[in-house]
Amino acid sequence: MTRYSILDLAPVPEGSRPGDALRNTIDLARHADRLGFTRYWLAEHHNMVGIASAATAVVIGQVAAATSRIRVGAGGIMLPNHAPMIIAEQFGTLAELFPGRIDLGLGRAPGTDQMTLRALRVNPMEADRFPDDVLELQALLAEPQPRQTLRAVPGFGTNVPLWILGSSLFGAQLAAAFGLPYAFASHFAPDALLQALQVYRAQFKPSEQLGSPYAMAGLNIIAADTDAEANRLFTSAQQRATLMVRGMRGYLPPPIDSIESFWSPSEKTQVGRMLACSIVGGPETLRRGLEAFIARTGADELMIAAAVFDHGARLHSYAIVDEVARDLGLATQDLAA
């Protein structure tokens, strides 16, 4: 039975401060905690004025403290930016404070540009060590071995569940080889989604953490009472994606009445491809879209992103998602994974 969860990039709308975005994040997490969502994930990005979740572990701690049921985690931590020991200590601390509720999704992309990588004191070649770093991190979070002298404190023995994130076949193959759950970033890079899921399921090897494949797929959902209103709200995400195509990154813009006047035909094509895994509309449109996406992917879980300018409209969008998901019989409030 498919579960459904939230990916929050803590978007900073035009005219707002990062503090406003973070307070909205906490409010949305409390909202999700009352509904049927399984997880609430935040992602590591740096040097982006429109995203406030750079200090990801800090924000996760605030969200976990403000909620009581929902799992909270990283979707994800860009492991090449960090020593595994540091991440083990950070997420071990979270796991000790909020036992049974912390997830750790890991990516090998930097989550930023080359200039910012230098500011982070990261060697770009660190990404080549990603598989070894995952194993090192996993060992630091496990029960210590006899005569083991290096321990993450807090961290050891917490066995924080690890996930591999990706948008290519590399992540699918790695997750399968290590026997870990796999999350595909189809909400912004959907091209290899079906192929990656097939590779992951075909090559999966059971592990102590996971006995059979478990695949999550990213999906943009903008829901409103009517299709017209949802489509208007979606223009914020479309504008942001268009600006990315132009090499510009900024705050989340307010919705506009006509997106056609904003982008060129070639930009429309590029953005359409980038946001292909999106469902935008009222409850009935959302119902049909969810049924089709689940049938096409066989995803065990949906990780739902919603770049909505107005916080109240964003809360309402996720409430509609929850209502439709329940009507479809999707799994709710499940802490087992």
Side-chain angles (χ1 to χ4, degrees):
M1 185 179 292
T2 305
R3 300 172 186 152
Y4 54 102
S5 296
I6 290 177
L7 175 63
D8 180 11
L9 299 182
V12 185
E14 285 183 13
S16 298
R17 295 278 303 167
D20 300 318
L22 293 169
R23 282 183 282 274
N24 286 343
T25 283
I26 292 171
D27 189 50
L28 176 58
R30 290 187 177 122
H31 183 62
D33 199 43
R34 294 189 291 268
L35 300 175
F37 295 91
T38 297
R39 302 173 214 280
Y40 195 101
W41 279 7
L42 295 124
E44 176 187 353
H45 293 280
H46 299 282
N47 194 27
M48 297 185 184
V49 297
I51 296 176
S53 55
T56 315
V58 176
V59 183
I60 288 169
Q62 293 295 308
V63 168
T67 56
S68 60
R69 175 198 62 81
I70 200 166
R71 294 190 69 93
V72 185
I77 290 295
M78 302 299 106
L79 192 54
N81 294 349
H82 312 276
M85 183 73 167
I86 296 298
I87 299 305
E89 291 170 342
Q90 289 178 357
F91 280 79
T93 299
L94 291 168
E96 293 285 4
L97 289 171
F98 309 102
R101 294 181 56 210
I102 302 299
D103 298 323
L104 177 49
L106 302 169
R108 67 190 281 261
T112 189
D113 53 55
Q114 294 299 313
M115 177 185 69
T116 309
L117 270 185
R118 290 192 292 272
L120 292 169
R121 305 295 192 267
V122 174
N123 182 342
M125 300 306 292
E126 287 297 313
D128 295 339
R129 289 181 41 84
F130 182 66
D132 292 334
D133 285 348
V134 172
L135 292 176
E136 182 179 341
L137 175 59
Q138 191 173 45
L140 288 166
L141 293 169
E143 293 292 345
Q145 298 299 307
R147 295 183 295 279
Q148 178 178 329
T149 57
L150 181 65
R151 300 187 182 189
V153 185
F156 75 86
T158 57
N159 292 298
V160 176
L162 302 185
W163 292 66
I164 299 297
L165 314 184
S167 58
S168 69
L169 299 188
F170 176 87
Q173 292 167 335
L174 187 67
F178 288 177
L180 295 176
Y182 178 54
F184 191 90
S186 38
H187 58 292
F188 73 90
D191 289 355
L193 170 61
L194 297 182
Q195 186 181 8
L197 293 179
Q198 191 277 327
V199 166
Y200 170 65
R201 290 165 178 148
Q203 298 182 9
F204 182 85
K205 298 178 181 178
S207 67
E208 288 187 19
Q209 179 178 326
L210 192 64
S212 58
Y214 191 94
M216 174 190 286
L219 181 63
N220 300 294
I221 297 182
I222 308 296
D225 294 331
T226 66
D227 286 1
E229 177 58 20
N231 279 294
R232 186 175 185 277
L233 294 175
F234 189 45
T235 61
S236 292
Q238 291 171 315
Q239 289 175 82
R240 186 177 65 178
T242 304
L243 293 172
M244 291 174 63
V245 169
R246 296 173 184 172
M248 304 164 59
R249 296 180 184 272
Y251 299 100
L252 183 67
I256 55 178
D257 292 331
S258 174
I259 190 64
E260 299 301 329
S261 61
F262 183 82
W263 56 21
S264 69
S266 63
E267 289 170 341
K268 178 179 181 179
T269 299
Q270 288 178 273
V271 171
R273 183 174 177 178
M274 185 187 305
L275 301 180
C277 288
S278 300
I279 305 172
V280 181
E284 187 53 39
T285 298
L286 175 55
R287 174 189 295 274
R288 293 194 301 268
L290 282 173
E291 288 177 326
F293 188 80
I294 293 169
R296 184 163 66 94
T297 63
D300 298 291
E301 190 164 338
L302 306 178
M303 181 54 74
I304 299 166
V308 178
F309 180 83
D310 178 75
H311 181 58
R314 193 170 183 228
L315 293 176
H316 187 51
S317 178
Y318 277 116
I320 294 172
V321 170
D322 181 68
E323 182 178 357
V324 172
R326 288 173 184 269
D327 287 345
L328 289 174
L330 304 192
T332 62
Q333 301 186 10
D334 189 343
L335 298 179

